[in-house]
Amino acid sequence: KKHVTEVPWFFAIGFILFWCFLFFGVVIPYFYRLPTAVTLEDNGKNVFIAERAYNNLYTLSNIGLKLTGTDENEIEAVNFLLSELEKINESLQTDFFHMEIDRSQASGSFLINPSLRMYQGMQNIAVKLSPKNSTSESYLLINSHFDSATGPGAGDAGFMIVTMLEVLRVIATSKQPIKHPIVFLFNGAEEGGLQASHGFIMTHRWAPFCKAVINLDAAGSGGRDVLFQSGPNHPWLVAYYKKYIKHPFATTMAEEIFQAGIIPSDTDFRQFKNYGKIPGLDMAQCINGFVYHTKYDTIDVIPRESLQNTGDNILGLTRGLANATELNDTEAHKTGHAVFFDFLGIYFIHYSETTGEYLNFGVAGGVLILIIASMWRMAYASQVSVCYVIRWFILVLVIQIISFVLGIALPIVVSYAMDSFGLSLTYYSTPLLVVGLYVCPSLIGLSLPITIYYSLQRNSKITMPYHLQLALHGQAAILAFATIYLTLLGIRSTYIFVIPLVFYAISLVINLMTILHDLGYAWIAFLKASQIIPFLYSSYVFYILIVVLIPMGGRTGSSSNQDIIIAVLAALGTVLSFGFLVPLINTFRRPSLVILTLLASTALTVFLASSTQLGFPYRPRTNGQRIAYLEVRNKFYDYDGKVSSDESGYLMLFEDRRREQPLLGANVNLTGMVSLEPHCEKHMMCGMPLHNNQCLVPSQCSWIPRTEPVVPPSPTTLELLSKTVINTTTVRFEFNLTGPIQMRLFFKAEEDVTISNWSFLRLYLDNPPSGGRPYQIYFKYGFDRSPLNFFIELSKSNGDFSVPLLQIGVSAQYMADEVDAQSKLLASTFPLYSNLEYWPAFYQRFIY
């Protein structure tokens, strides 16, 4: 009798295809949807013109690599910007606006553990567009940077700059009024330190009047711009985003993931928020992160439609905030965090964190009440006690918990197994493999326990349709309790659990109010319909996160298994998208066939990922393996000034989990490559010219010695100007440092010596790095290349200053210079899929 009401097994194919259609036919097209680009023929219509922005981007990106401190950045890029700004000024609607262009330099320092960042002569070009006769002292700040880290930086350094230029042009040449002045900040030093924005906020005369900021950046190239940070504690900004953005793309999940440090990036928003106490919105390009910080970040990967999308958004948002009454007194509107997200880019939803808490608790509690009402209805219709139904519900709930755990755990197991066999990042160039590797195992975990249970249970008092409803109630109860717990933890992204709960509650209310609840499987129609929107949203938001984070796996370092993060995201997306749908396979005959199909799909995907070219992570140009190596000269000077060690070689940094493994079958000469660990155990800061702290995890970096000495392109000189005994316990050293555009200083006093004073930031001296690491001073030149003069005072209780007191390491990075012929020969042996960064570096260790 059990199978009489069940649907033939082949109808399961249509069931599966329907949800596949929703994902591939709705979610993905809407995710990549862009507006039509406006051309120059529409000039004068008071709209953002993507064609003009694209032409500007062509000119700016053709300058090439724009490292801070180089002529390309400090002269050519600056001249381009000043020229374009003068053109805008010439077309200014003088009856409505006044425009002031200010080119400035800034020097300063700030602390970001574990190092102090110093800068000198960083250039900013600030433009203030003021409404005529305005008395407002509340400015809106729009910021982006024009320097690039690697290559022309069309997406990272140029995209938002030309967007700002075009937004400024449209506003300045139209007759549409604004209430508050707008400051457009084109900053020349963001990469590797966020220096120029810090210089602006700390020293510029307009900075104290900036009350809100729109920060524009990139971690990709050529897609939609995402809002991934807001406020903090200023939800009114998100309200303006909703009102004035044409193409919304935002999620609180991205904000919490970014602020948790999972994404290996930072933006100028940090400086405005921390040092200027300016609230704002942080927006960025995020698609196609494979080209981010590579030589392939060129204009040819950016469609005009992408510029139009961002331009429409920034133009509308800028005009809206420039007329915001809240700008007069932002502190009066500091009322907590916001929860925000878009639905397929069609509609934007936001509410305050407090409202979210009430909503979360209300929905969770309401669902639990509806579950109790449903069980009471089942007991009445089945002529059994409510306690009898509850006992069966508890059993099914335990099974659903097992299913939920397996749905998360099995993808993690697969990711761990793939990594154990050296097969990390198999999806890197073929993201569709994520479906077979992680989505299918998650579906297996969700479906297997409940399917086994229904194949074995023989309860004649409670019908199979009721048993199936109990399983769905179990899923709802799990989400409800998860919602309550995560809300108590203060996690705003809990809304992703609430969305499927709300729609499940709607279907349950409809079924309870009609006879459908007790009419066999009739209630399933409303259930399926109710899950369309949760399915669309859950699959949409997790697809976003996976697409954004997959490229980042190529630059997170070899010490972290990025596969686990992708597996967890895929699993969560699967559980939330299919949690109320998977149990329905038991309405078909032979549900085991669905599970076997999933098993076969996983097995086939594992085979393709491990044994075919589909699973090889890298492709030339589009999905490269990131490798950085420094052409290094290390010289160690003893206390007497004699050279105790002089070595040359290559400091290798493999930026993803696979390290050098893919190169072992190629013609790359890695002979003699050793771990950096012995150097790190023996020397301060590994005795290497480290340009970042990744190599402090020795497993991430390697050393290849070479016999031919490396000759630094130019001298790096630390000159001791004087040594003065101040009193019986204190001595003062004064130094002069000259070198390339980027250097690091490392200071480590002997055990019986204390650094008591210096010319650097006192806050850093009072808060030394943890773990016994030396003080690190990260120094960067901009336009001003004058030598760095500094002093350091040491205290020693016995007053004996005739012995070694202090080690100083000087790491010089010649990032704007060419490597020598031998290093170029090494570079030529790497495969075409290798994205290489290489430059000369020089490290000197002194003892005083």
Side-chain angles (χ1 to χ4, degrees), residues 770-781:
S770 60
R773 291 181 178 178
Y775 289 100
Q776 304 174 47
I777 312 294
Y778 176 84
F779 182 74
K780 203 165 187 178
Y781 281 118

Side-chain angles (χ1 to χ4, degrees), residues 1 24 34 44 56 62 88 125 141 168 296 410 416 440 459 471 547 611 696 724 817 819:
K1 289 184 180 179
F24 290 103
L34 293 170
N56 282 335
N62 274 350
I88 296 172
I125 300 174
L141 175 63
L168 172 58
Y296 300 117
L410 288 184
Y416 182 80
C440 287
N459 188 322
V547 165
S611 304
L696 292 178
T724 306
D817 294 280
V819 295

Side-chain angles (χ1 to χ4, degrees), residues 203-243:
T203 64
H204 201 280
R205 68 183 190 275
W206 293 337
F209 303 101
C210 295
K211 303 302 181 183
V213 61
I214 302 173
N215 187 64
L216 305 173
D217 212 320
S221 187
R224 298 157 64 199
D225 49 278
V226 61
L227 170 64
F228 66 100
Q229 287 194 99
S230 68
N233 297 315
H234 286 267
W236 63 273
L237 288 163
V238 179
Y240 275 84
Y241 180 92
K242 176 180 180 178
K243 185 175 181 180

Side-chain angles (χ1 to χ4, degrees), residues 145-207:
H145 66 95
F146 57 84
D147 64 312
S148 61
T150 307
D156 187 20
F159 186 101
M160 292 302 188
I161 289 292
V162 300
T163 298
M164 286 172 59
L165 284 172
E166 182 63 10
V167 167
L168 172 58
R169 183 199 65 79
V170 174
I171 296 176
T173 59
S174 69
K175 297 180 180 181
Q176 187 170 333
I178 58 175
K179 181 179 179 182
H180 303 289
I182 308 170
V183 175
F184 291 82
L185 175 60
F186 304 86
N187 87 65
E190 186 269 352
E191 298 292 357
L194 318 177
Q195 295 95 341
S197 55
H198 180 268
F200 174 84
I201 209 64
M202 298 299 291
T203 64
H204 201 280
R205 68 183 190 275
W206 293 337

Side-chain angles (χ1 to χ4, degrees), residues 682-722:
K682 185 178 180 182
H683 301 294
M684 172 182 66
M685 298 299 288
C686 305
M688 292 284 171
L690 306 182
H691 66 288
N692 59 41
N693 291 319
Q694 281 187 302
C695 290
L696 292 178
V697 180
S699 61
Q700 296 198 166
C701 292
S702 302
W703 174 252
I704 303 177
R706 79 178 216 181
T707 55
E708 182 182 341
V710 171
V711 180
S714 60
T716 295
T717 305
L718 179 68
E719 180 183 359
L720 175 61
L721 299 178
S722 66

Side-chain angles (χ1 to χ4, degrees), residues 5 463-466 468-469 515-524:
T5 56
T463 65
M464 181 62 182
Y466 279 162
L468 199 55
Q469 287 195 54
I515 62 170
L516 297 177
H517 181 274
D518 309 307
L519 197 61
Y521 290 115
W523 51 268
I524 288 180

Side-chain angles (χ1 to χ4, degrees), residues 31-346:
F31 174 70
Y32 290 105
R33 185 180 61 166
L34 293 170
T36 302
V38 177
T39 66
L40 288 170
E41 294 178 358
D42 296 299
N43 191 32
K45 294 184 178 180
N46 195 22
V47 294
F48 185 95
I49 298 179
E51 185 177 2
R52 190 192 335 260
Y54 192 87
N55 293 339
N56 282 335
L57 182 58
Y58 179 82
T59 303
L60 182 59
S61 61
N62 274 350
I63 294 174
L65 174 60
K66 296 175 284 295
L67 286 173
T68 303
T70 63
D71 288 348
E72 289 80 3
N73 191 69
E74 308 303 327
I75 298 175
E76 294 184 45
V78 168
N79 287 342
F80 163 77
L81 290 170
L82 292 175
S83 174
E84 290 301 314
L85 292 172
E86 283 300 330
K87 293 177 185 177
I88 296 172
N89 198 21
E90 291 171 2
S91 304
L92 183 70
Q93 285 282 356
T94 55
D95 292 338
F96 288 83
F97 304 104
H98 172 71
M99 181 170 157
E100 185 177 352
I101 302 171
D102 180 84
R103 177 183 179 183
S104 62
Q105 294 183 35
S107 301
S109 63
F110 57 92
L111 181 61
I112 295 184
N113 282 327
S115 66
L116 177 69
R117 295 182 181 177
M118 289 187 64
Y119 55 92
Q120 181 173 294
M122 298 303 170
Q123 291 203 87
N124 282 314
I125 300 174
V127 182
K128 185 172 74 168
L129 183 69
S130 305
K132 204 73 171 181
N133 302 320
S134 171
T135 59
S136 173
E137 293 187 347
S138 298
Y139 303 170
L140 172 66
L141 175 63
I142 317 292
N143 171 76
S144 192
H145 66 95
F146 57 84
D147 64 312
S148 61
T150 307
D156 187 20
F159 186 101
M160 292 302 188
I161 289 292
V162 300
T163 298
M164 286 172 59
L165 284 172
E166 182 63 10
V167 167
L168 172 58
R169 183 199 65 79
V170 174
I171 296 176
T173 59
S174 69
K175 297 180 180 181
Q176 187 170 333
I178 58 175
K179 181 179 179 182
H180 303 289
I182 308 170
V183 175
F184 291 82
L185 175 60
F186 304 86
N187 87 65
E190 186 269 352
E191 298 292 357
L194 318 177
Q195 295 95 341
S197 55
H198 180 268
F200 174 84
I201 209 64
M202 298 299 291
T203 64
H204 201 280
R205 68 183 190 275
W206 293 337
F209 303 101
C210 295
K211 303 302 181 183
V213 61
I214 302 173
N215 187 64
L216 305 173
D217 212 320
S221 187
R224 298 157 64 199
D225 49 278
V226 61
L227 170 64
F228 66 100
Q229 287 194 99
S230 68
N233 297 315
H234 286 267
W236 63 273
L237 288 163
V238 179
Y240 275 84
Y241 180 92
K242 176 180 180 178
K243 185 175 181 180
Y244 292 101
I245 286 286
K246 282 189 175 183
H247 318 291
F249 183 31
T251 170
T252 299
M253 282 193 70
E255 180 174 79
E256 293 190 322
I257 288 175
F258 184 86
Q259 293 175 354
I262 295 175
I263 295 177
S265 292
D266 207 349
T267 73
D268 288 319
F269 190 71
R270 169 201 284 269
Q271 308 293 49
F272 302 125
K273 177 182 66 174
N274 291 353
Y275 294 98
K277 307 302 179 184
I278 303 175
L281 301 172
D282 203 4
M283 302 168 65
Q285 284 280 300
C286 62
I287 308 303
N288 192 20
F290 300 105
V291 302
Y292 173 74
H293 282 190
T294 73
K295 62 184 179 182
Y296 300 117
D297 187 7
T298 56
I299 193 170
D300 61 296
V301 300
I302 300 175
R304 287 175 173 83
E305 291 77 10
S306 182
L307 279 165
Q308 190 67 52
N309 186 90
T310 301
D312 289 344
N313 284 344
I314 304 306
L315 177 60
L317 186 59
T318 300
R319 278 182 164 153
L321 288 176
N323 288 292
T325 56
E326 291 86 349
L327 223 58
N328 293 316
D329 185 7
T330 55
E331 284 299 307
H333 298 86
K334 191 174 182 179
T335 57
H337 293 287
V339 179
F340 56 88
F341 54 94
D342 73 289
F343 179 72
L344 300 180
I346 301 171

